[in-house]
Amino acid sequence: AKGSGQINVHMDAELSPQTSLELMPHLMSDSELPMFLELQFSVGVDLNFGAAKFGTTAPFKKKCGMNIAGLLVRTNTRLGPMICRESFEQLDGHLPHPDEAVA
């Protein structure tokens, strides 16, 4: 079976004043900065076969990362594609560049 769809997510992150001060010089001078986050949620699947219905959920817990373009970089996309792995170590050095994202 083939399916398609779109999942929209909204996320807010609050940085401490100290972290903000440490990031600002990098945002102004670096071409890109890595951002790491842990995603944790439950994925639900419901299937309907006419009279028969089936549903289940599965936990999703992954370490993810993406590159953010520096503020002075001219690019069509500010965020690189996000990739997820089992550990942050598996992400280190493998994050796609912002210009690899689909605009």
Side-chain angles (χ1 to χ4, degrees):
K2 291 185 179 185
S4 64
Q6 183 174 335
I7 300 172
N8 295 312
V9 176
H10 176 85
M11 182 189 95
D12 287 320
E14 292 187 30
L15 301 176
S16 70
Q18 181 63 35
T19 300
S20 297
L21 287 173
E22 292 171 8
L23 280 177
M24 190 50 75
H26 294 285
L27 284 169
M28 297 302 292
S29 64
D30 295 357
S31 61
E32 61 189 31
L33 293 122
M35 181 173 85
F36 298 96
L37 54 142
E38 183 176 63
L39 294 181
Q40 183 174 340
F41 54 87
S42 292
V43 177
V45 177
D46 293 310
L47 302 173
N48 187 348
F49 298 103
K53 293 181 182 180
F54 172 76
T56 188
T57 60
F60 181 95
K61 185 175 182 181
K62 299 280 184 184
K63 310 301 192 248
C64 302
M66 68 179 89
N67 274 312
I68 302 171
L71 294 176
L72 302 179
V73 174
R74 298 184 98 181
T75 180
N76 290 333
T77 57
R78 304 301 311 162
L79 299 175
M82 183 185 316
I83 61 172
C84 298
R85 302 290 184 263
E86 295 298 321
S87 71
F88 288 122
E89 291 78 20
Q90 292 173 317
L91 295 170
D92 195 28
H94 298 287
L95 298 180
H97 303 288
D99 62 3
E100 295 179 58
V102 177

